[in-house]
Amino acid sequence: MTAHPNISKSAFGQLPDGRQTSLYTLSNASGMLVKITDFGGIITQIHVPDRAGRLADVTHGFDSVLPYLGESEYFGALIGRYGNRIAKAQFELDGKLIELNVNNGSNHLHGGENGFHRVLWKATPFTLANSVGLKLSYLSPDGEQGYPGNLSVTVIYELGGDNTLAIRFHATTDRATPVNLTNHAYFNLAGEGDILAHTIMIPASRYTPIDAVQIPTGLLPAVEGTPFDFRQPRAIGARIAEDHEQLRNGFGYDHNFVLDKPAPGERSLAARVHEPVSGRVLEVFTDEPGLQFYSGNFLDGRLSGKGRVYGYRGGICLEPQHFPDSPNRAGFPSTILRPGQEYSSSMAYRFSVAR
Ligand code: GLA
């Protein structure tokens, strides 16, 4: 019998350049189990109990490293330097035009084609009294994917006894650069099927509508009376098919919600998701001002792994973040990190069950 909490390491496959990758398995006494690879800091599996104690893997992923090098829809990935889109892959910083890798139409998405989800991190496992974790570090060189400055990044994953997976991000730089780190795990709390019957609650009175290429318009309208009002729990599928301009632009939900915060920068609940059949509940906490709620609209059964086919709207992402395109929007909270400052952000996924 394994003592808990526990962390162990196994091989996850060789990269084309010969480097080996590893997979770390974190488990706690309640049977929750999380697998994380040092490639891209990707979460590949999350097993949590339903109300009868039966475990299911509630996240999308693959069995080995190679599929993550291809088209992978950012399954489980650690995203950086900048989560979400930057319009036309460029912005002005201190009077200089910065040009980034273009990987989403004419825009920049999730740190570029070879963003942090495709680099090999240095991994250090640790064990504390009631938790186990993995510390990942990476030095992103000046100019990587177009970003200025050498950015030293640390990400800590920590699995607690209370079925919480906490993620803490830290970074420092030697030149001003935008930083907006997050995680892109997909969730399906039933472990199969689509997510339309999951209910979701997002404590956000406003959101950032997008244009036809999914760049924020800069407006922050109220969600009141729209399909974007999730202040009371509602099935994801309840209004997703309505003929609403924003649901057309996002192909469903693919929007940043402006979280109602007790105070700016304070940690608070960002979303609560409930799957009625299994009873599984996921709560997301963050100190970030926004949450991207993406309803898996680009999944279409092309990708498969772990014995499953990842079908249309078969998973949702809940990405705590600063608002998309902030480097081009003086009105949005700033994402610029300067030498001498420390970037720090923290989030958590907490699993439980309800009737
Ligand atoms: C993010 C984006 C989506 C999509 C997914 C990955 O959540 O907002 O538009 O690109 O990543 O497919």
Side-chain angles (χ1 to χ4, degrees), residues 73-74 84-85 104 109-110 184 186 214 254 292 294 298 317 319:
E73 294 292 331
Y74 306 94
N84 219 306
R85 293 179 174 78
N104 185 247
L109 175 66
H110 293 330
H184 204 290
Y186 287 71
Q214 297 186 267
D254 194 355
Q292 184 82 7
Y294 168 58
F298 298 127
C317 300
E319 307 152 58

Side-chain angles (χ1 to χ4, degrees), residues 46-335:
I46 301 179
H47 299 251
V48 289
D50 67 4
R51 67 164 85 77
R54 283 180 299 248
L55 293 172
D57 186 353
V58 296
T59 200
H60 288 25
F62 302 115
D63 308 272
S64 61
V65 77
L66 286 183
Y68 288 104
L69 295 171
E71 194 197 337
S72 67
E73 294 292 331
Y74 306 94
F75 284 176
L78 202 166
I79 304 287
R81 285 187 199 190
Y82 197 95
N84 219 306
R85 293 179 174 78
I86 296 178
K88 306 239 159 49
Q90 59 178 49
F91 57 95
E92 228 185 87
L93 180 57
D94 300 333
K96 251 193 81 183
L97 182 71
I98 309 287
E99 294 179 288
L100 303 173
N101 172 256
V102 181
N103 65 332
N104 185 247
S106 54
N107 301 321
H108 177 85
L109 175 66
H110 293 330
E113 192 182 344
N114 294 310
F116 290 179
H117 61 293
R118 286 212 172 114
V119 304
L120 188 60
W121 294 70
K122 176 176 180 284
T124 315
F126 62 87
T127 304
L128 302 172
N130 293 309
S131 64
V132 283
L134 193 64
K135 179 178 165 185
L136 298 171
S137 39
Y138 177 64
L139 183 68
S140 170
D142 182 26
E144 189 178 39
Q145 302 294 292
Y147 288 100
N150 294 293
L151 187 75
S152 166
V153 191
T154 304
V155 180
I156 297 167
Y157 285 102
E158 185 174 353
L159 175 65
D162 59 349
N163 288 359
T164 296
L165 179 65
I167 313 178
R168 296 194 294 278
F169 304 94
H170 294 278
T172 52
T173 187
D174 60 5
R175 276 176 67 196
T177 177
V179 183
N180 189 28
L181 307 180
T182 191
N183 186 279
H184 204 290
Y186 287 71
F187 295 100
N188 181 320
L189 298 180
E192 59 185 16
D194 68 46
I195 45 68
L196 298 175
H198 287 47
T199 65
I200 188 165
M201 191 280 287
I202 304 175
S205 306
R206 299 182 175 277
Y207 74 116
T208 53
I210 49 177
D211 66 15
V213 293
Q214 297 186 267
I215 296 295
T217 60
L219 303 174
L220 303 175
V223 296
E224 175 105 53
T226 75
F228 294 84
D229 191 350
F230 290 109
R231 291 172 298 171
Q232 298 299 321
R234 200 169 57 205
I236 293 171
R239 299 188 67 175
I240 201 169
E242 280 182 24
D243 187 24
H244 186 285
E245 182 201 38
Q246 284 304 312
L247 291 170
R248 286 197 301 273
N249 287 356
F251 306 97
Y253 295 106
D254 194 355
H255 294 79
N256 172 66
F257 287 74
V258 179
L259 297 170
D260 295 335
K261 289 266 162 186
E266 208 164 292
R267 182 186 179 84
S268 61
L269 181 72
R272 183 175 195 271
V273 185
H274 177 228
E275 197 283 303
V277 178
S278 66
R280 290 191 188 92
V281 171
L282 164 63
E283 290 166 307
V284 180
F285 297 88
T286 181
D287 48 21
E288 290 292 316
L291 178 82
Q292 184 82 7
F293 167 36
Y294 168 58
S295 54
N297 314 310
F298 298 127
L299 301 175
D300 60 3
R302 254 171 16 256
L303 300 178
S304 58
K306 303 190 293 184
R308 282 187 219 169
V309 175
Y310 300 114
Y312 184 52
R313 293 184 174 155
I316 57 169
C317 300
L318 298 163
E319 307 152 58
Q321 60 181 5
H322 268 57
F323 306 166
D325 201 29
S326 294
N328 288 306
R329 290 275 169 201
F332 288 175
S334 172
T335 52

